[in-house]
């Protein structure tokens, strides 16, 4: 099979445990793009928090893409054009806040380039560190969200969130997409908007067939794109659910697992040098 696109989750997939791209993986991705492959960064992260990696991998130079907010935004890096977007209305955010209060867990969202929460917690602080975005603590969460937002997160330790994830997937079925990106991040986007659906949209826009796409990830929010892609890849450090759905299990994020995928499956030259 000849592939044309590789799609990468960022945290614990593309990035090592110290949140960097290893030299070997960077070289492999730059070489793949030079040979004509499209590279897509597909993350739950806000777009703002993905540009450093996009610049390091020269996605603009090669006409590659960012798929951020778990698929709620798709960006053409060459033009900085948003070619797809999805948002949650303030009344939906208010409803999610009510649910978070009912479940006794924290919630946050993004207003501009800031993370907003009304319940200080260590997991929102982790998001601030990962994204480089300031965390703003407000007294009234609903009053702070007066315009549509791209997504919301509920936050707690993994043991607490696991049953809540299952319950809310049933409770909100057909209304919102619900998935965990990390054990302590439970993410909410518009119904039908996932990494998988946005990847399908992007591939169609580019004239790339489903069977020509490789998608790599480690977490539950990567499942939709791993299952959709022609070759779904689980990282060696992925959870057991992801590994069970994947077509191929590569090395871990700390062992250049993405470079291993490229060396194994992306050997063709798609463009004339």
């Amino acid at each position: 099979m000849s592939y044309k696109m590789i799609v990468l989750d960022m945290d614990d997939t593309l990035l090592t445990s110290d949140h960097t791209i290893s030299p070997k993986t960077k070289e492999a991705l730059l070489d793949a793009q030079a040979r004509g492959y499209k590279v897509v960064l597909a993350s739950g992260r806000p777009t703002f928090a993905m540009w450093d990696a996009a610049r390091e991998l020269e996605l603009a130079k090669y006409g590659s893409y960012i798929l951020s907010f778990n698929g709620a935004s798709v960006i053409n890096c060459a033009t900085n054009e948003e070619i797809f977007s999805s948002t949650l209305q303030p009344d939906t955010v208010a409803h999610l806040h009510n649910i978070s209060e009912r479940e006794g867990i924290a919630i946050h969202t993004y207003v501009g380039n800031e993370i907003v929460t009304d319940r200080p917690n260590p997991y929102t602080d982790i998001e601030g560190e990962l994204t480089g975005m300031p965390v703003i603590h407000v007294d009234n969460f609903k009053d702070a969200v007066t315009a549509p937002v791209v997504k919301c997160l509920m936050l707690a330790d993994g043991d607490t969130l696991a049953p809540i994830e299952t319950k809310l997937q049933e409770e909100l079925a057909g209304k919102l997409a619900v998935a965990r990106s990390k054990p302590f991040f439970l993410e909410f986007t518009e119904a039908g908007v996932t990494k998988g659906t946005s990847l399908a949209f992007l591939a169609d826009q580019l004239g790339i067939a489903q069977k020509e796409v490789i998608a790599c990830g480690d977490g539950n929010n990567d499942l939709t794109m791993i299952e959709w892609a022609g070759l779904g890849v689980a990282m060696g450090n992925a959870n057991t659910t992801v590994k069970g759905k994947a077509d191929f299990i590569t090395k871990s994020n700390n062992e250049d697992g993405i470079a291993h995928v490229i060396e194994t499956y992306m050997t063709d030259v798609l463009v004339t040098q």
Side-chain angles (χ1 to χ4, degrees), residues 138-184:
V138 297
D139 294 328
N140 190 308
F141 187 79
K142 296 175 184 177
D143 287 349
V145 182
T146 58
V149 301
V150 181
K151 71 171 184 175
C152 286
L153 284 77
M154 291 186 195
L155 311 110
D157 65 88
D159 289 341
T160 298
L161 276 187
I164 292 174
E165 177 184 20
T166 300
K167 178 167 68 172
L168 294 185
Q169 283 175 338
E170 296 176 358
E171 180 180 331
L172 299 172
K175 300 175 182 177
L176 292 171
V178 182
R180 275 193 294 168
S181 57
K182 288 183 176 290
F184 43 80

Side-chain angles (χ1 to χ4, degrees), residues 10-251:
M10 284 185 59
D11 296 295
D12 303 314
T13 297
L14 169 67
L15 304 180
T16 62
S17 295
D18 63 0
H19 309 302
T20 62
I21 304 172
S22 75
K24 181 176 180 179
T25 292
K26 177 180 177 179
E27 180 181 1
L29 287 165
L30 289 173
D31 176 67
Q33 289 179 102
R35 289 186 285 116
Y37 291 92
K38 293 297 182 184
V39 171
V40 179
L41 301 185
S43 176
R45 287 184 178 215
T47 309
F48 173 89
M50 298 176 67
W51 273 112
D52 283 349
R55 283 187 283 267
E56 185 174 356
L57 295 175
E58 301 183 31
L59 298 195
K61 173 182 176 181
Y62 292 107
S64 289
Y65 292 81
I66 284 174
L67 192 159
S68 56
F69 293 109
N70 274 338
S73 179
V74 180
I75 306 292
N76 180 337
C77 293
T79 63
N80 200 24
E81 175 191 5
E82 186 175 50
I83 62 173
F84 174 81
S85 65
S86 168
T87 57
L88 303 177
Q89 295 300 314
D91 60 341
T92 300
V93 177
H95 179 57
L96 288 172
H97 183 265
N98 290 342
I99 293 174
S100 74
E101 292 283 291
R102 182 190 76 194
E103 301 295 335
I105 59 178
I107 187 171
H108 76 230
T109 191
Y110 309 92
V111 177
N113 287 330
E114 298 175 337
I115 302 169
V116 174
T117 185
D118 65 345
R119 184 181 293 202
N121 67 92
Y123 307 110
T124 292
D125 292 339
I126 290 172
E127 177 78 336
E129 292 169 5
L130 287 173
T131 63
M133 300 171 74
V135 175
I136 306 300
H137 300 131
V138 297
D139 294 328
N140 190 308
F141 187 79
K142 296 175 184 177
D143 287 349
V145 182
T146 58
V149 301
V150 181
K151 71 171 184 175
C152 286
L153 284 77
M154 291 186 195
L155 311 110
D157 65 88
D159 289 341
T160 298
L161 276 187
I164 292 174
E165 177 184 20
T166 300
K167 178 167 68 172
L168 294 185
Q169 283 175 338
E170 296 176 358
E171 180 180 331
L172 299 172
K175 300 175 182 177
L176 292 171
V178 182
R180 275 193 294 168
S181 57
K182 288 183 176 290
F184 43 80
F185 287 165
L186 182 59
E187 310 207 4
F188 301 83
T189 52
E190 188 177 14
V193 176
T194 66
K195 289 187 181 184
T197 58
S198 292
L199 173 56
F201 165 82
L202 176 60
D204 181 66
Q205 292 292 300
L206 298 177
I208 294 175
Q210 182 176 0
K211 65 183 181 181
E212 296 173 323
V213 178
I214 301 173
C216 309
D218 71 291
N220 287 0
N221 67 324
D222 300 316
L223 282 170
T224 55
M225 69 176 188
I226 286 172
E227 292 182 289
W228 181 85
L231 182 71
V233 177
M235 304 303 293
N237 52 289
N239 67 47
T240 54
T241 300
V242 173
K243 287 181 177 178
K245 297 292 186 180
D247 303 304
F248 177 71
I249 300 174
T250 188
K251 299 177 182 180

